[in-house]
Amino acid sequence: IPCKGHNNRIRLGYLSYSTFNLYYKLFKNLRDKYTNINWVFKPHPNLVHRIHELWQCKNIIHYDEYENYIKDWEDSPNGIYINSCEYINIFKFADCLITDSLSFITEWLPANKPCIYLFNPSTKKPRKLFNGLANKILDSYYTCSTEKEIIETFENVVIKSNDNKRICREIILNEELQNLGNAGASITKYLFNILTN
């Protein structure tokens, strides 16, 4: 959707994957409500640039408000803001991932912990944007398109520990990432067989 009153070549969210502008207040409220949980806010590296670029568009927060939002996370006793590119250690110690990032769909799977994946409700048939493997993995995650779904899923999966998709993730992990941790040996064996036969 073009920004009203602005250059029409600037478009909101490109394919409308991003959900930050829809749910940033919700996650602050959940963080403040569930003080026994440690929260990590790690935005996409491009988010700050997009906010700065599109702050005048409808439903996009002002850059100053975003700066205050980050400060609020930094000052929170049970929240942290991380701006580095490193995320493996976060994955290692996290109990759940809540994201709208495409790249994390497969990268989170080896953790075999629940993921709440957020679809932007403005995107019609969002699953058509993903390939077969991504959709297979998404079947083992908890997908949400509304604030109500996010709250209900979070409370059921994280607070009540009802992760009924764990076995599904284990099956996909074994089927699709069989060589996890042994990729070098598998590649060597594959090349050896090709070159010697």
Side-chain angles (χ1 to χ4, degrees):
I1 300 169
C3 300
K4 291 182 180 177
H6 291 77
N7 190 323
N8 282 341
R9 62 188 172 81
I10 298 175
R11 307 247 174 216
L12 280 176
Y14 299 106
L15 291 175
S16 299
Y17 291 115
S18 177
T19 59
F20 176 79
N21 61 307
L22 302 173
Y23 304 128
Y24 70 101
K25 291 179 183 174
L26 168 66
F27 290 117
K28 177 187 176 300
N29 293 339
L30 286 172
R31 182 203 69 199
D32 293 345
K33 179 178 180 181
Y34 294 102
T35 55
N36 61 324
I37 294 175
N38 293 316
W39 295 76
V40 175
F41 170 53
K42 186 185 182 322
H44 190 284
N46 289 335
L47 179 62
V48 65
H49 305 296
R50 293 293 290 155
I51 286 174
H52 187 68
E53 183 181 298
L54 300 174
W55 69 267
Q56 293 180 349
C57 296
K58 186 178 180 181
N59 295 325
I60 300 295
I61 70 171
H62 190 282
Y63 183 74
D64 291 342
E65 185 182 352
Y66 180 67
E67 290 290 306
N68 290 333
Y69 186 78
I70 289 171
K71 186 175 185 320
D72 180 78
W73 276 87
E74 292 175 327
D75 294 343
S76 169
N78 66 316
I80 185 171
Y81 163 71
I82 295 180
N83 194 28
S84 72
C85 294
E86 162 58 33
Y87 58 88
I88 296 301
N89 283 330
I90 299 171
F91 279 15
K92 201 182 291 186
F93 297 108
D95 294 312
C96 179
L97 175 69
I98 304 173
T99 187
D100 60 9
S101 172
L102 287 96
S103 60
F104 284 166
I105 291 174
T106 304
E107 292 178 20
W108 175 253
L109 184 64
N112 199 16
K113 292 180 278 192
C115 174
I116 300 173
Y117 190 85
L118 310 177
F119 287 125
N120 189 315
S122 70
T123 303
K124 293 180 181 178
K125 300 182 181 178
R127 297 287 288 260
K128 287 195 170 188
L129 301 173
F130 300 94
N131 66 24
L133 176 58
N135 273 303
K136 190 174 183 180
I137 294 170
L138 284 171
D139 286 339
S140 73
Y141 291 166
Y142 302 89
T143 57
C144 300
S145 298
T146 67
E147 193 169 296
K148 182 174 183 282
E149 288 176 353
I150 294 168
I151 294 168
E152 289 174 354
T153 303
F154 174 79
E155 290 179 346
N156 188 45
V157 175
V158 178
I159 302 302
K160 297 178 182 174
S161 298
N162 292 327
D163 180 15
N164 58 19
K165 294 192 173 189
R166 182 179 179 87
I167 293 172
C168 182
R169 288 194 305 275
E170 288 174 1
I171 291 168
I172 295 170
L173 191 57
N174 290 329
E175 287 177 353
E176 301 294 342
L177 302 174
Q178 308 96 329
N179 298 323
L180 196 63
N182 302 302
S186 297
I187 292 167
T188 302
K189 183 178 177 182
Y190 174 77
L191 290 173
F192 179 81
N193 288 337
I194 287 176
L195 296 172
T196 57
N197 290 330

